[in-house]
Amino acid sequence: MSVIQIQGGRPLSGSVRIQGAKNSVLPLLAATLLSRGTCVLRNCPKLTDVDHTIDILRSLGCRVEREGDVVTVDSSAPTGHTISEPLMREMRSSVVFLGPILGRMGRAVISYPGGCELGPRPIDLHISALRTLGASITEREGRLDCEGSLTGGEIVLSIPSVGATENAMLSAVCAQGDTILHNAAREPEIVELQSFLNAMGARVRGGGTSTVTIRGGLPLHGAEHTVGPDRIVAATYLSALAASGGEGELTGVDWRQLSTVTAVLSEAGCTIRSGADQVWLSAPSRLRGARPVRTAPYPGFPTDAQAVVMAALCKGEGTTVFVENMFSSRYRHVDELVRMGADIRVEGKVAVVCGVKALHGAQVRATDLRGGAALAVAAVGAEGETCITGLRHIDRGYQSLCEDLSGLGARIVRLDTSTE
């Protein structure tokens, strides 16, 4: 069994550089399937989700090589249009391949995707967008069979889903004619995908706004791109510094993408300064409660940061209310935090965090990606030793959690004795 052991109770300090963004690199890798040549992606984090995405590309006939943080994809001659059920079940975001495979091969066959259990996340928005562009989609024994030639159209998303926005963009660049996408997600990952597609020869405009326009049918060629920083990993390490009463600096980040997180931590008593590509934080020995934190689509407070910020505020003075508006099962980390002495009460989408004087080490288990990171945040500020299992979840989004926290002075070690 693999376990992370953390001896908490002392302030963190130092500097850490933030990895490439998980939520950017996965759709970027899917986009390489549309190229008639070779694409090079730099600053790709070493994550199990990235490994699974590379496996999907290879299963479709692409040639993929990785050297350090550089991934090279030759998609000049793909041979497949089907993703096996085992590959699809590894992660929720594998559905982003639906549009690119259909657009490139004329047919796509996939099963329903897997990933963290955060409550219902239907892919009906993805399917509706493709049907708007002319795809014929049937369901057979839990598998989706999509075929047809795509033509431009007007897509209206009922909610600004990031995944559906990405799939619509990736499909529309293959369609003949123009596509207008309304109520699009505005996350930085959308802007990054737009930039990469344009570097490949597409014409996509409006990324980062609620309306995206795509000129379809243009020939796409190889391109190079450097993956931007992971704002959720940055939020995690800021929360760890805050939880420990420490002081440190994150480099290679865009402070604008962290503004809602730093606003909460500032209100909780932290001093924060931002530069061109860095954020510095100094925390008091004990945080205080903040105004209600409500998760929302970007540029609102990110649902992915809810757990790590909650973990930081467990050991504070006063009360903080969290309202989770994005997913119905995103408080699975609460029971584990309570094992460490936290006082948290959950009712529906609301969690009330009453600050306690101290947390204590405990045996805890990660049940999802961000919840697992939250346990590490709580552990660096807790008294005694915490042992975290369920590391396969953490490995999906953090390429070097132990090394990064160790670089900030945490007493942390990972023991890998067998496959989980």
Side-chain angles (χ1 to χ4, degrees):
M1 181 176 66
S2 300
V3 60
I4 291 176
Q5 295 178 345
I6 301 175
Q7 190 73 33
R10 69 177 183 183
L12 302 184
S13 64
S15 177
V16 63
R17 186 165 185 85
I18 299 303
Q19 69 183 57
K22 165 189 177 289
N23 289 339
S24 288
V25 71
L26 302 183
L28 293 175
L29 284 168
T32 64
L33 182 64
L34 302 178
S35 166
R36 302 284 173 170
T38 299
C39 293
V40 179
L41 295 178
R42 296 185 172 85
N43 198 33
C44 291
K46 180 61 177 176
L47 307 171
T48 55
D49 271 11
V50 173
D51 294 339
H52 295 319
T53 305
I54 289 174
D55 289 342
I56 289 175
L57 285 168
R58 286 174 174 156
S59 76
L60 296 171
C62 300
R63 297 177 59 186
V64 187
E65 296 181 358
R66 176 165 194 150
E67 185 173 348
D69 69 352
V70 179
V71 175
T72 303
V73 182
D74 179 357
S75 52
S76 55
T79 56
H81 63 260
T82 300
I83 302 178
S84 69
E85 183 174 358
L87 285 175
M88 285 296 299
R89 284 189 175 276
E90 290 293 343
M91 58 182 185
R92 175 74 53 173
S93 54
S94 54
V95 72
V96 79
F97 273 96
L98 184 59
I101 297 174
L102 178 60
R104 181 72 189 271
M105 308 301 291
R107 187 183 179 193
V109 180
I110 68 170
S111 62
Y112 282 94
C116 288
E117 297 299 328
L118 304 179
R121 287 189 284 177
I123 63 172
D124 57 311
L125 295 180
H126 302 250
I127 295 172
S128 176
L130 287 172
R131 282 177 169 154
T132 298
L133 299 181
S136 173
I137 303 176
T138 57
E139 181 178 357
R140 297 188 181 94
E141 299 179 348
R143 296 176 67 81
L144 296 173
D145 193 336
C146 314
E147 58 184 348
S149 298
L150 302 180
T151 56
E154 195 162 0
I155 300 171
V156 181
L157 298 178
S158 58
I159 59 173
S161 161
V162 175
T165 298
E166 292 166 344
N167 231 335
M169 291 169 62
L170 292 166
S171 306
V173 296
C174 302
Q176 294 299 317
D178 294 344
T179 296
I180 301 177
L181 175 59
H182 298 284
N183 199 27
R186 300 163 60 187
E187 272 74 0
E189 296 80 25
I190 303 300
V191 178
E192 194 162 358
L193 179 59
Q194 171 182 278
S195 177
F196 184 51
L197 289 172
N198 287 342
M200 294 170 63
R203 289 184 60 186
V204 184
R205 303 290 184 269
T209 75
S210 59
T211 302
V212 178
T213 59
I214 304 103
R215 170 64 54 85
L218 300 176
L220 302 184
H221 50 72
E224 298 188 9
H225 181 82
T226 299
V227 180
D230 196 311
R231 58 196 172 98
I232 306 304
V233 170
T236 300
Y237 296 156
L238 288 175
S239 298
L241 287 166
S244 72
E247 174 182 324
E249 178 187 57
L250 311 185
T251 63
V253 297
D254 186 340
W255 64 269
R256 296 167 296 183
Q257 298 177 3
L258 294 165
S259 60
T260 54
V261 173
T262 55
V264 173
L265 295 177
S266 294
E267 188 176 350
C270 297
T271 299
I272 299 174
R273 294 199 299 265
S274 303
D277 66 344
Q278 62 189 36
V279 176
W280 175 88
L281 179 145
S282 178
S285 58
R286 192 175 182 194
L287 300 175
R288 56 176 179 261
R291 283 175 292 185
V293 178
R294 296 179 173 88
T295 64
Y298 191 85
F301 189 93
T303 181
D304 281 351
Q306 172 255 108
V308 295
V309 172
M310 178 186 291
L313 293 175
C314 284
K315 198 185 70 170
E317 296 178 306
T319 299
T320 303
V321 175
F322 287 81
V323 183
E324 176 54 61
N325 294 310
M326 305 301 290
F327 295 118
S328 62
S329 299
R330 195 124 212 194
Y331 289 137
R332 299 179 69 195
H333 55 283
V334 167
D335 287 345
E336 302 301 299
L337 291 175
V338 169
R339 289 171 64 88
M340 300 177 68
D343 183 355
I344 308 173
R345 301 164 192 177
V346 175
E347 184 172 345
K349 65 180 183 178
V350 177
V352 179
V353 180
C354 299
V356 296
K357 186 175 182 179
L359 298 177
H360 54 77
Q363 302 277 341
V364 293
R365 180 173 181 81
T367 57
D368 59 77
L369 169 55
R370 306 306 174 185
L375 299 180
V377 169
V380 297
E383 298 176 356
E385 183 179 86
T386 298
C387 295
I388 306 173
T389 57
L391 305 189
R392 64 185 179 84
H393 296 291
I394 295 174
D395 292 342
R396 292 184 49 236
Y398 295 83
Q399 70 173 4
S400 53
L401 180 72
C402 291
E403 293 83 352
D404 290 343
L405 289 178
S406 179
L408 290 173
R411 292 170 289 183
I412 181 171
V413 63
R414 175 168 176 156
L415 303 175
D416 291 302
T417 57
S418 64
T419 302
E420 287 193 65

